[in-house]
Amino acid sequence: MNTFAIAGMDVLKSDYNRDGFAIARQLFSPAEVEEIKETFETLRQAEFPRFMDDGIKDPNDPLFQYPRFVHPHRFNPVARRYMLHPSVRACLEVLIGEEPVATQSMYYFKAPGSRGQALHQDNLYLLVEPGTCMAAWTAIDRSDRENGGMMLVPKTHQGNLLCPDQADLTQSWSGHMTKIPKGLKAVEIPMEPGDTLFFNGSTIHGSGPNRSKDRFRRSFIGHYAAGSLEKISKFYFPLVKMDGTDYEVGISAGGGACGQDWVGAVH
């Protein structure tokens, strides 16, 4: 197991409790980062069916040329293995306080020229009950302001889920945008390949466009919940225990920040 999982847990927990997010530096080894990168490049070149086109139809759009993968663990064993990575599991056990369960995997290429994703809250889509979800966002490339690195709003994990407004689609591929509460502001989180950012399902976060000329901002992302959850949005079935077995819980729908008709979504 990566030495961080032993040496850095107290700091990780303290940072997470204070801000709603925390970084485990170099949680993934260079060899692991390279394996993830090569796996998804092979899938893309093989013209694997797109599991999420996000409604992007313009063939000149970088997001059409490099679409994101959603739930790749359902068809690719490498993605499934890294979603259940033992060091990620160790960190989650400390942050969640119990055995976690995996709910989703994703991979973003974010090629040069790609739009970002407007600020949002993950649990508005996953609808984990009780409690919330948690993301483990691993940088595959260096991530900074120029290539559309992550931005988070500290302490918003202490607030409620907010129904989003319409985002600027010239800057964001997603049409949802969550306003920052008064008195708070987003901070940039520069990351190196192999760093993993953990954040709470209520923490407001997002990213700007990739304004670089030749730098990708690839990332591998897992979403998780406490194993004691009772409900989740139907778009995340089947869940995966950390031993690799599938299982299901109840379906969560309606009554959230966006009203009775809101049933969550793939995000």
Side-chain angles (χ1 to χ4, degrees):
M1 182 179 295
N2 187 293
T3 55
F4 176 89
I6 299 174
M9 289 299 185
D10 289 344
V11 173
L12 190 78
K13 179 71 170 176
S14 176
D15 289 351
Y16 177 81
N17 287 344
R18 182 188 66 230
D19 294 326
F21 61 87
I23 303 175
R25 299 289 185 185
Q26 301 300 287
L27 196 67
F28 285 30
S29 72
E32 290 172 326
V33 168
E34 193 61 30
E35 182 180 22
I36 294 170
K37 184 190 300 184
E38 291 178 355
T39 295
F40 283 96
E41 183 59 29
T42 298
L43 287 174
R44 189 188 71 83
Q45 291 181 2
E47 297 185 345
F48 201 91
R50 290 176 180 153
F51 276 65
M52 182 59 61
D53 66 11
D54 295 312
I56 298 167
K57 306 302 182 184
D58 181 359
N60 296 314
D61 191 323
L63 294 169
F64 181 91
Q65 300 166 7
Y66 291 89
R68 64 182 182 137
F69 283 92
V70 175
H71 297 310
H73 69 279
R74 294 180 181 174
F75 60 85
N76 182 269
V78 175
R80 192 177 185 90
R81 173 158 49 86
Y82 280 107
M83 182 180 70
L84 304 175
H85 193 286
S87 291
V88 171
R89 176 181 183 175
C91 292
L92 290 169
E93 287 174 346
V94 169
L95 296 177
I96 294 175
E98 62 178 272
E99 180 71 9
V101 60
T103 64
Q104 184 183 33
S105 60
M106 294 194 292
Y107 187 82
Y108 286 76
F109 289 92
K110 198 160 188 180
S114 296
R115 287 169 288 165
Q117 184 173 8
L119 294 172
H120 63 283
Q121 296 168 295
D122 287 347
N123 205 45
L124 182 68
Y125 304 93
L126 277 79
L127 297 177
V128 170
E129 299 179 50
T132 188
C133 60
M134 185 178 297
W137 194 103
T138 299
I140 304 301
D141 301 292
R142 190 177 199 285
S143 170
D144 52 37
R145 177 187 294 187
E146 183 188 46
N147 68 349
M150 288 289 286
M151 299 182 294
L152 298 96
V153 183
K155 304 188 186 309
T156 47
H157 67 302
Q158 300 170 353
N160 297 323
L161 291 177
L162 306 172
C163 195
D165 293 331
Q166 176 63 44
D168 180 354
L169 293 179
T170 67
Q171 303 297 307
S172 169
W173 61 260
S174 169
H176 290 168
M177 184 276 294
T178 299
K179 290 183 178 179
I180 300 176
K182 288 184 179 181
L184 301 177
K185 64 179 181 179
V187 298
E188 298 172 358
I189 309 293
M191 297 173 67
E192 297 294 335
D195 292 350
T196 301
L197 174 66
F198 294 89
F199 52 91
N200 183 283
S202 292
T203 299
I204 298 174
H205 66 284
S207 65
N210 184 344
R211 302 185 188 282
S212 72
K213 294 182 178 180
D214 57 4
R215 298 172 57 216
F216 282 74
R217 194 230 62 182
R218 288 164 283 219
S219 55
F220 180 78
I221 306 154
H223 288 99
Y224 307 85
S228 60
L229 86 164
E230 298 173 1
K231 295 182 180 180
I232 192 170
S233 171
K234 63 183 179 180
F235 300 102
Y236 299 89
F237 291 133
L239 309 184
V240 185
K241 293 183 179 181
M242 301 307 284
D243 64 6
T245 57
D246 289 351
Y247 84 115
E248 296 187 5
V249 292
I251 297 175
S252 181
C258 294
Q260 292 293 332
D261 293 334
W262 180 252
V263 295
V266 174
H267 79 299

